[in-house]
């Protein structure tokens, strides 16, 4: 493995989630399925990013996409949550911090 920074990113292979990252995402997914909010997911690994998309129904557009872009690690952070239409809802350096975005939806106002 070369540490030469001049290498093209396409020569590194596709970006994907590590085991601990995927474990944290799947734990969140399991909680949301048990709550009845999510029903399906898809995974994708590309040359510059990895994506975990969640769906309310199988045939719909994704509700959220949890995205990993290592090239942004030293800038805005490699983790992002994208909403419908590609709007960035949360971005950060740590996955656990970014996934807290979904914790705030647990509380609801009751009359």
């Amino acid at each position: 493995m070369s540490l030469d920074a001049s290498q093209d990113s396409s020569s590194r292979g596709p970006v994907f989630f590590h085991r601990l990252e995927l474990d944290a995402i799947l734990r969140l997914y399991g909680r949301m399925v048990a709550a009845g909010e999510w029903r399906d997911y898809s995974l994708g690994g590309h040359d510059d990013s990895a994506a975990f998309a969640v769906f309310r129904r199988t045939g719909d557009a994704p509700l959220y996409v949890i995205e990993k872009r290592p090239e942004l690690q030293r800038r805005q952070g490699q983790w992002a949550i994208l909403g419908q239409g590609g709007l960035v809802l949360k971005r950060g350096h740590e996955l656990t911090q970014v996934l807290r975005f979904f914790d705030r939806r647990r509380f609801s106002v009751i009359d």
Side-chain angles (χ1 to χ4, degrees), residues 74-92:
R74 293 200 171 133
R75 294 184 203 138
Q76 302 130 337
Q78 70 177 343
W79 296 100
I81 296 175
L82 308 174
Q84 291 179 332
L87 179 68
V88 177
L89 302 173
K90 180 85 172 163
R91 182 175 292 281

Side-chain angles (χ1 to χ4, degrees), residues 1-38:
M1 176 176 189
S2 174
L3 297 177
D4 185 13
S6 65
Q7 286 184 344
D8 189 0
S9 64
S10 63
S11 65
R12 292 186 207 142
V15 175
F16 210 69
F17 300 105
H18 298 289
R19 173 172 271 180
L20 294 176
E21 297 165 349
L22 196 55
D23 181 54
I25 293 169
L26 287 174
R27 266 190 273 122
L28 168 68
Y29 176 76
R31 267 196 349 241
M32 298 303 263
V33 167
E37 293 191 32
W38 296 349

Side-chain angles (χ1 to χ4, degrees), residues 36-106:
E37 293 191 32
W38 296 349
R39 289 190 169 226
D40 201 5
Y41 72 92
S42 69
L43 289 169
H46 308 286
D47 287 339
D48 60 343
S49 67
F52 184 94
V54 294
F55 301 86
R56 180 163 288 152
R57 289 182 293 272
T58 305
D60 289 348
L63 286 175
Y64 300 102
V65 177
I66 301 168
E67 184 181 62
K68 176 183 178 181
R69 285 191 181 269
E71 64 190 26
L72 298 177
Q73 186 172 11
R74 293 200 171 133
R75 294 184 203 138
Q76 302 130 337
Q78 70 177 343
W79 296 100
I81 296 175
L82 308 174
Q84 291 179 332
L87 179 68
V88 177
L89 302 173
K90 180 85 172 163
R91 182 175 292 281
H93 296 279
E94 297 293 325
L95 177 61
T96 54
Q97 174 234 354
V98 172
L99 292 180
R100 284 190 204 132
F101 171 81
F102 297 106
D103 289 342
R104 69 180 177 169
R105 294 178 42 102
R106 290 181 152 190

